[in-house]
Amino acid sequence: SRAETFYGTLDEPAREALRGYVARSAFDPQRSYAERLRRQKDLVGVLQSIAQDRSDHQRALGLLRGYRDRFNASPDLAYQRYAQALVAEGCEGFARLHNAMTPAHRLRAAQSLKGYEQDFLLLAAR
């Protein structure tokens, strides 16, 4: 449904490309969920620590920056490799899907992107 929001109704070659991408995906919901829980626990700890001493702004900033860094790059090196593999897989899968699209699909995608651009410009002007 997300692809159809962007491209419009998919024809069978595009659906097959999408099915193939999903079937080959290394995405592991349990592993991703465990990392999400780790991040949440980390954030709660950071916020509790900040709440204990609200007067030290530099310390709070340091704690938040550390959290940001751990959010962007998990301390679990195996998870970092997994996340990088998912990004590469996503790029390849999206390229295959895009290559399976008709010219009409690609026009719809360009129009969708133009709409996003207009939304961002409007928000940036506020």
Side-chain angles (χ1 to χ4, degrees):
S1 68
R2 287 184 184 176
E4 287 187 334
T5 298
F6 192 65
Y7 285 108
T9 303
L10 302 183
D11 58 11
E12 192 50 39
R15 287 180 183 277
E16 186 54 39
L18 188 56
R19 279 193 288 272
Y21 165 67
V22 171
R24 289 185 299 277
S25 177
F27 177 71
D28 178 351
Q30 292 172 332
R31 189 174 197 180
S32 296
Y33 182 66
E35 177 65 12
R36 176 177 277 184
L37 292 177
R38 184 209 58 81
R39 289 175 179 172
Q40 289 174 354
K41 183 178 178 182
D42 188 1
L43 180 58
V44 167
V46 166
L47 295 175
Q48 287 174 337
S49 182
I50 291 170
Q52 289 174 357
D53 182 6
R54 295 178 184 210
S55 64
D56 190 345
H57 295 283
Q58 289 304 317
R59 179 177 162 275
L61 283 174
L63 290 169
L64 289 170
R65 286 181 179 130
Y67 172 74
R68 177 203 57 205
D69 293 344
R70 291 185 302 279
F71 183 91
N72 290 331
S74 174
D76 179 349
L77 295 179
Y79 187 84
Q80 282 184 27
R81 288 189 298 274
Y82 164 74
Q84 289 170 347
L86 286 181
V87 169
E89 177 184 285
C91 291
E92 180 184 341
F94 185 77
R96 285 181 187 217
L97 179 64
H98 186 74
N99 289 337
M101 294 299 156
T102 65
H105 285 122
R106 291 179 185 183
L107 178 61
R108 168 81 184 267
Q111 291 167 340
S112 295
L113 288 174
K114 187 67 174 171
Y116 292 147
E117 177 188 29
Q118 291 170 347
D119 291 345
F120 287 126
L121 290 172
L122 179 67
L123 290 171
R126 290 185 179 182

